[in-house]
Amino acid sequence: MNCAVTTRPERSSIVAVFISYSSRDTETVGHLAAALRRGHHDLWMDDELSGGDAWWRAILGKIRSCDVFLAALSQNMLQSKACQAEIRYALALGKPILPVLVGPVDSMRTN
């Protein structure tokens, strides 16, 4: 008699997540990031970068390489020129965008 042993398939891929957020929402987004890291996602946010051209090139590179673009929605984020540019770039690349409400928003209508 043959016995087959089945095992759970190992996770073959980790989802790379880029978080776009306003620096005014850093504390709240930090809690969200911690939860995602506990789920073993490959997470990137610009909390270790400083401004300038190198900062922007790094951001664009991470958006290009992410699997999911997470938009940490708040009024602060909607008013951020950098966040809006990140979203436009992700849209242009056809990246899936996951909006997550992290703070108050005056209107849910965005461009």
Side-chain angles (χ1 to χ4, degrees):
M1 174 164 95
N2 291 333
C3 291
V5 177
T6 59
T7 59
R8 289 184 150 171
E10 290 198 28
R11 196 170 175 174
S12 61
S13 63
I14 295 174
V15 176
V17 180
F18 178 96
I19 297 183
S20 177
Y21 68 101
S22 167
S23 60
R24 293 179 178 178
D25 299 321
T26 299
E27 184 177 346
T28 303
V29 172
H31 296 297
L32 173 62
L36 289 169
R37 284 186 178 115
R38 283 192 301 273
H40 304 287
H41 294 289
D42 180 14
L43 177 67
W44 192 86
M45 49 194 286
D46 70 348
D47 55 349
E48 296 179 9
L49 297 177
S50 57
D53 288 340
W55 166 78
W56 191 242
R57 282 192 303 273
I59 285 174
L60 296 179
K62 290 297 184 177
I63 293 171
R64 283 191 299 273
S65 66
C66 77
D67 298 314
V68 175
F69 181 96
L70 189 151
L73 283 178
S74 70
Q75 195 61 36
N76 297 324
M77 189 262 200
L78 294 175
Q79 293 173 347
S80 166
K81 290 180 182 180
C83 290
Q84 294 307 306
E86 291 168 359
I87 289 173
R88 284 192 303 274
Y89 190 61
L91 284 169
L93 294 173
K95 296 292 180 176
I97 297 178
L98 176 64
V100 176
L101 190 63
V102 298
V105 175
D106 291 344
S107 171
M108 291 306 285
R109 294 189 65 144
T110 62
N111 292 332

